[in-house]
Amino acid sequence: MQFHYISFLLTILPLFSLIPTLRSQDISVGSTLRPTNLSLSWPSPNGTFSFQFLNRTEDSSFIAAISYSGGIAIWKAGGADARVDIGGALEFLSNGNLRLINGSGTTIWQSNTTGLGITSAALEDTGNFVLKNGTTTVWSTFENPTDTILQDQNFTMGKVLRSGRYSFNLLKSGNLTLQWGNSIIYWNQGLNSTFNRSLTSPSLTLQSVGILRLYDLSLPGSVPIAYSSDYGEGGDTVRFLRLDSDGNLRAYSSVRGSGVENPRWAAVLDQCQVFGWCGNMGICSYNDTEPLCGCPSLNFEFVDPNNQRMGCRRKQAIADCPGSSTMLEMSHTQFLTYPPELSNEVFFVGITACRLNCLGGGSCVASTSLSDGSGLCFLKVSDFVSGYQSPALPSTSFVKVCAPAQPNQSPPAAGQTLASSKKLRAWVVAVVVLGTILALVFMEFGLWWCCCRNSPKFGTLSAQYALLEYASGAPVQFSYKDLQRATKGFREKLGAGGFGAVYRGVLANRTVVAVKQLEGIEQGEKQFRMEVATISSTHHLNLVRLIGFCSEGRHRLLVYEFMRNGSLDNFLFSDESLGKLDWGSRFNIALGTARGITYLHEECRDCIVHCDIKPENILLDENYNAKVSDFGLAKLVNPKDHRYRTLTSVRGTRGYLAPEWLANLPITSKSDVYSYGMVLLEIVSGRRNFDVSGDTGRKKFSVWAYEEFDRGSITSIVDKRLADEELDVEQLDRVIQVSFWCIQEQPSQRPTMGKVVQMLEGIMTIEKPPAPKAMEGSLSSTSGSANVSALSTFAASAPAPSSSSSLQALGSSSLSGRNIEKTSSSLLG
């Protein structure tokens, strides 16, 4: 028996001695890869990654790249633009240098590691390719990234990702920046201005669970910067962060062997805000699904008609104008202005002066005037101008051209007409065709008038055609008569608020909607339509969607999707709903509401502060999913400055107003956080937070609830209708603590809504909150009515000209945006 055991050991010991050799798979000096043999590669030990040549099908060239299983390039020798022909090669020379050459022998890229004693190379299972002196790593791809960062790869200050003229950097302040041409900073995100700590050596890592985190020795913990949409999803996948050729930084995930890249997060949500995406003088706009590039007018032509992203050029240079130059006007258009441009050529003048100042300036080529009341005018004197056009942009821009200015919608010039003989023939054909079309139209109208005009089945034809716009995501314009028919004369009233009554309606395609009749509108037709376009462009799973509008004379109406289960207050405070809303549903409603508000605060192009968060404005669909309603309406009712409120002008709802409303302090997104905290307490307790009863010892409910929490009796806070239900105590405790953090008296102590979502999800440690102070002069004692007013939302603006809501597209920072608040170490990470 002992003899057989010794024989077995002698048999397997040589196999153990081979393991280091098999795992290292060292590549010896003198090795070469060529595009003539694409199957030849330098693989990692587990086969997940390979160093090989990949074929670029668009131009039949080749790149030498480290690829993930399935052929996804995650590191490229020489960068994204380094390509070779069929005669090229990647050589690991005997002097230790790694070199990429073309078929002509020209060096395209090299590692510059000659004379460093390098004896071998290896591709590790992490995707890191290393050059080694014995066992010591001398050079690696992780330390020399190109356009991609792999999961768990440290990206430190001084390293740069590049793609064309775009670059991505990590600053010493901890901020992440995207730049164009190493000068224009069109995206800047990270630690906010309230974080005063000086970082020593910040580093960035994309975790395998999909969180982009910032690390530094001076931080008490890591700081989450962004979350992938498939956060926490497992499986045989890899994640990577890449600076794409369109100038956007995206996080991707890919299943092993699939070859499919799934985008999970993007730094710039609006692609048209990427500087230079459409090239010089190019104008970025959107069709139904994607951004498009165009030229400002017929005075311009594409530099390359086959690649419209190359930009536009004037058909006639300004210096060669046969006559005078003039300014071409473009509505709802901005020429993007980001740092460092913001510090120069900025004026406070009217639209006319903004046009004339550029026309009279020899170096000015274009200008943008903000139509938001700020009077800001940006003159463009750069050799490179990048434009953005959208119906939601409150701005007018001008471009200097040789007279006459020819807008894109103008007809062809007279010189482009046909010869007179062909012209006559064309007129005859046009008259015949037009006559036939008019006859058919009159016949159709006659049939409709006789047979169908009073039929509900065929009525509201204009609404039917308008629904085609709804399918494309654009706001539908209804006539007042359409909505009268849809609501049967505004018969079935669903409710009423500070903006007017809401009625149930049925559109021509049988879609059930909620029609809100607005009252007290102070805006003109054009401004009303612009605000509606802004609201309708705000889409999220937890926001009520705006379908369309009516703007006809004095009539202003909004058409929303219909929410079958009504508002949350009907389930929390009505005895009729006894037992319908269990704890699991309540938690999902709380989390969904937080996500919806987070989108308004941190993920919209312009931060929207909802000044009336309450159960009445949280609606439930047929599956009890929460959707926040009535956002963006305050600017419709009162377009004046909303930055400050006095006690006499407070518009909100009793019990949900943050202390800063009554203290005449600026209103920010933190005011919504306070209101949400009060709603969270009501979701747990099933009672109004401003109700005073003997159960609470006649104390303010939030004060009494904290006392119960402090003595460990959280179940006494819970709605008595949940008494027979088995509750998730850990989840319940988390929700209650979050509510107390939200209702702190000082706005700086409250977390952002993004942090609230993280705490509710349980991915962030929560420290015990301090006791909330009873608000002196509480609205519950100063107001005699339950509803002071039903103000809902406005686009936030801070007290400085550069913080105009439209300036976010011009490069200024927005409110919050996943900023880190100095509340506690737990809220920092």
Side-chain angles (χ1 to χ4, degrees):
M1 184 69 182
Q2 186 177 11
F3 172 77
H4 288 296
Y5 179 71
I6 294 173
S7 299
F8 174 72
L9 289 177
L10 292 175
T11 303
I12 66 170
L13 281 176
L15 296 179
F16 280 104
S17 65
L18 290 175
I19 289 177
T21 304
L22 293 174
R23 291 297 295 173
S24 65
Q25 292 195 1
D26 285 349
I27 302 160
S28 59
V29 294
S31 299
T32 301
L33 294 176
R34 299 185 185 278
T36 52
N37 186 2
L38 296 180
S39 62
L40 181 63
S41 66
W42 298 334
S44 63
N46 63 6
T48 301
F49 298 95
S50 297
F51 207 153
Q52 62 187 129
F53 274 101
L54 299 176
N55 189 6
R56 285 171 47 93
T57 55
E58 59 267 30
D59 58 5
S60 300
S61 63
F62 301 87
I63 61 173
I66 298 173
S67 66
Y68 173 63
S69 178
I72 298 175
I74 50 91
W75 186 88
K76 306 175 184 74
D81 300 323
R83 302 184 292 272
V84 298
D85 54 30
I86 191 67
L90 181 68
E91 301 174 332
F92 182 27
L93 302 177
S94 58
N95 60 12
N97 202 27
L98 189 65
R99 183 176 69 174
L100 177 67
I101 61 172
N102 214 335
S104 62
T106 304
T107 299
I108 304 299
W109 169 85
Q110 57 183 335
S111 61
N112 294 318
T113 51
T114 303
L116 299 181
I118 292 172
T119 56
S120 64
L123 179 58
E124 299 174 341
D125 286 336
T126 59
N128 188 23
F129 185 80
V130 297
L131 301 180
K132 300 184 292 184
N133 182 345
T135 58
T136 303
T137 298
V138 177
W139 182 94
S140 72
T141 55
F142 273 18
E143 293 300 317
N144 296 273
T146 53
D147 62 353
T148 305
I149 305 170
L150 268 173
Q151 65 183 37
D152 300 325
Q153 174 182 348
N154 286 332
F155 184 79
T156 57
M157 188 177 61
K159 296 177 183 176
V160 182
L161 298 187
R162 297 188 185 279
S163 183
R165 300 189 70 174
Y166 297 104
S167 61
F168 169 69
N169 298 269
L170 172 61
L171 306 183
K172 189 172 184 180
S173 62
N175 277 26
L176 319 179
T177 65
L178 287 173
Q179 299 183 22
W180 178 89
N182 294 324
S183 59
I184 303 297
I185 301 175
Y186 59 89
W187 183 77
N188 189 343
Q189 181 173 317
L191 303 175
N192 65 1
S193 58
T194 63
F195 190 86
N196 298 319
R197 209 172 275 154
S198 177
L199 302 185
T200 54
S201 54
S203 65
L204 190 71
T205 299
L206 177 63
Q207 295 180 310
S208 59
V209 294
I211 303 178
L212 188 63
R213 286 190 177 275
L214 183 70
Y215 295 84
D216 190 77
L217 295 175
S218 63
L219 294 174
S222 62
V223 177
I225 300 298
Y227 293 81
S228 300
S229 60
D230 62 342
Y231 160 77
E233 293 295 324
D236 194 4
T237 61
V238 72
R239 299 181 187 272
F240 54 93
L241 193 69
R242 186 174 66 204
L243 177 60
D244 289 324
S245 59
D246 61 6
N248 211 336
L249 183 71
R250 295 182 178 90
Y252 293 89
S253 66
S254 177
V255 177
R256 180 186 178 95
S258 68
V260 178
E261 306 169 348
N262 300 302
R264 302 302 187 182
W265 171 82
V268 185
L269 297 178
D270 188 340
Q271 184 61 39
C272 282
Q273 290 189 15
V274 173
F275 190 88
W277 188 78
C278 284
N280 190 22
M281 282 295 175
I283 305 296
C284 182
S285 59
Y286 285 91
N287 63 7
D288 292 344
T289 58
E290 59 186 9
L292 302 173
C293 293
C295 291
S297 72
L298 297 179
N299 300 86
F300 293 80
E301 61 185 0
F302 286 112
V303 173
D304 182 358
N306 297 322
N307 184 4
Q308 297 181 354
R309 283 195 56 203
M310 295 298 292
C312 303
R313 60 189 170 205
R314 290 180 176 84
K315 294 179 179 178
Q316 192 162 36
I318 298 298
D320 299 332
C321 289
S324 61
S325 60
T326 185
M327 299 301 289
L328 170 79
E329 181 175 340
M330 295 183 295
S331 300
H332 305 301
T333 305
Q334 289 178 347
F335 288 110
L336 301 180
T337 305
Y338 294 109
E341 289 184 304
L342 282 173
S343 59
N344 301 314
E345 305 298 334
V346 181
F347 303 94
F348 293 91
V349 295
I351 295 178
T352 302
C354 191
R355 177 179 65 84
L356 294 176
N357 284 352
C358 186
L359 180 62
S363 59
C364 183
V365 295
S367 64
T368 289
S369 176
L370 299 188
S371 306
D372 60 354
S374 66
L376 280 173
C377 169
F378 297 85
L379 301 186
K380 308 299 293 185
V381 297
S382 170
D383 294 332
F384 196 101
V385 178
S386 179
Y388 180 12
Q389 189 171 61
S390 169
L393 293 178
S395 57
T396 302
S397 290
F398 305 91
V399 179
K400 188 180 292 186
V401 296
C402 293
Q406 297 176 297
N408 282 324
Q409 64 271 22
S410 62
Q416 297 175 343
T417 58
L418 300 174
S420 57
S421 58
K422 295 182 179 179
K423 183 177 177 182
L424 179 60
R425 194 182 314 155
W427 270 108
V428 174
V429 173
V431 169
V432 172
V433 172
L434 183 61
T436 304
I437 292 174
L438 288 175
L440 290 173
V441 169
F442 279 117
M443 288 176 60
E444 183 179 356
F445 180 77
L447 288 172
W448 175 83
W449 181 262
C450 294
C451 306
C452 307
R453 72 179 188 274
N454 294 321
S455 170
K457 182 176 180 181
F458 297 100
T460 64
L461 290 178
S462 61
Q464 289 186 10
Y465 293 125
L467 288 174
L468 296 176
E469 294 182 62
Y470 175 46
S472 68
V476 181
Q477 181 175 357
F478 295 94
S479 69
Y480 185 68
K481 188 173 292 185
D482 289 339
L483 297 183
Q484 271 187 320
R485 290 195 187 100
T487 59
K488 298 180 180 180
F490 301 100
R491 186 180 304 170
E492 187 177 346
K493 191 173 182 179
L494 298 176
F499 291 109
V502 182
Y503 300 88
R504 185 181 186 274
V506 181
L507 300 181
N509 69 342
R510 304 304 179 194
T511 300
V512 182
V513 295
V515 181
K516 181 185 287 288
Q517 275 189 325
L518 297 177
E519 300 173 356
I521 299 299
E522 300 181 12
Q523 292 183 324
E525 176 80 11
K526 183 177 179 181
Q527 189 67 18
F528 176 79
R529 290 173 179 268
M530 287 170 56
E531 297 299 340
V532 167
T534 301
I535 297 171
S536 66
S537 65
T538 307
H539 301 300
H540 189 270
L541 178 66
N542 298 112
L543 296 179
V544 177
R545 184 176 182 184
L546 177 67
I547 294 175
F549 69 100
C550 171
S551 179
E552 194 173 289
R554 62 183 178 83
H555 299 296
R556 298 284 196 274
L557 300 97
L558 298 178
V559 182
Y560 290 97
E561 63 175 319
F562 180 76
M563 304 300 290
R564 188 176 302 277
N565 280 316
S567 57
L568 178 60
D569 62 303
N570 292 328
F571 293 90
L572 293 182
F573 314 125
S574 172
D575 292 335
E576 296 177 2
S577 62
L578 185 63
K580 286 186 179 180
L581 209 56
D582 59 17
W583 171 249
S585 299
R586 297 190 189 208
F587 179 77
N588 289 334
I589 290 169
L591 185 57
T593 303
R595 286 170 175 164
I597 303 172
T598 299
Y599 181 84
L600 294 175
H601 287 185
E602 305 176 12
E603 297 167 14
C604 286
R605 186 182 66 230
D606 297 326
C607 173
I608 297 177
V609 177
H610 193 308
C611 298
D612 199 16
I613 300 293
K614 59 182 179 179
E616 287 80 358
N617 284 335
I618 300 170
L619 306 185
L620 307 178
D621 66 11
E622 62 275 11
N623 297 317
Y624 295 91
N625 294 315
K627 297 195 177 190
V628 179
S629 69
D630 278 8
F631 56 90
L633 298 189
K635 288 190 74 176
L636 295 177
V637 175
N638 185 5
K640 298 174 183 177
D641 194 354
H642 292 273
R643 289 175 293 183
Y644 299 97
R645 290 287 180 273
T646 63
L647 183 59
T648 58
S649 64
V650 169
R651 305 183 68 180
T653 303
R654 182 184 65 157
Y656 304 96
L657 290 177
E660 51 265 30
W661 282 93
L662 305 179
N664 198 21
L665 296 174
I667 303 305
T668 69
S669 58
K670 292 299 185 70
S671 305
D672 280 352
V673 177
Y674 183 93
S675 302
Y676 175 79
M678 286 299 185
V679 172
L680 209 52
L681 271 179
E682 293 182 334
I683 290 175
V684 172
S685 65
R687 66 169 79 180
R688 292 284 190 184
N689 72 77
F690 48 80
D691 287 346
V692 178
S693 67
D695 294 344
T696 63
R698 315 303 297 178
K699 296 179 181 179
K700 185 178 178 182
F701 180 73
S702 58
V703 175
W704 173 84
Y706 186 87
E707 291 175 354
E708 294 298 307
F709 159 76
D710 196 36
R711 66 168 59 104
S713 180
I714 62 172
T715 54
S716 61
I717 307 173
V718 179
D719 192 338
K720 292 180 174 57
R721 289 174 289 182
L722 302 177
D724 297 332
E725 185 178 337
E726 186 175 344
L727 303 178
D728 185 336
V729 178
E730 187 275 332
Q731 191 180 74
L732 175 64
D733 182 70
R734 195 163 64 237
V735 170
I736 292 175
Q737 289 196 67
V738 170
S739 70
F740 290 136
W741 272 117
C742 290
I743 63 175
Q744 293 299 308
E745 184 178 23
Q746 295 299 323
S748 62
Q749 285 188 291
R750 303 170 203 156
T752 62
M753 285 306 302
K755 297 292 181 188
V756 168
V757 171
Q758 296 170 36
M759 289 190 286
L760 290 176
E761 290 175 338
I763 60 176
M764 174 179 287
T765 303
I766 309 177
E767 289 187 357
K768 182 180 178 180
K773 296 180 181 179
M775 186 169 61
E776 296 180 4
S778 171
L779 195 59
S780 60
S781 61
T782 60
S783 174
S785 63
N787 190 3
V788 180
S789 177
L791 176 69
S792 42
T793 58
F794 61 88
S797 49
S802 62
S803 61
S804 170
S805 62
S806 61
L807 272 182
Q808 188 174 357
L810 295 170
S812 64
S813 59
S814 64
L815 289 174
S816 283
R818 295 205 185 280
N819 291 335
I820 311 302
E821 301 294 340
K822 296 197 322 181
T823 56
S824 70
S825 59
S826 65
L827 295 185
L828 283 169

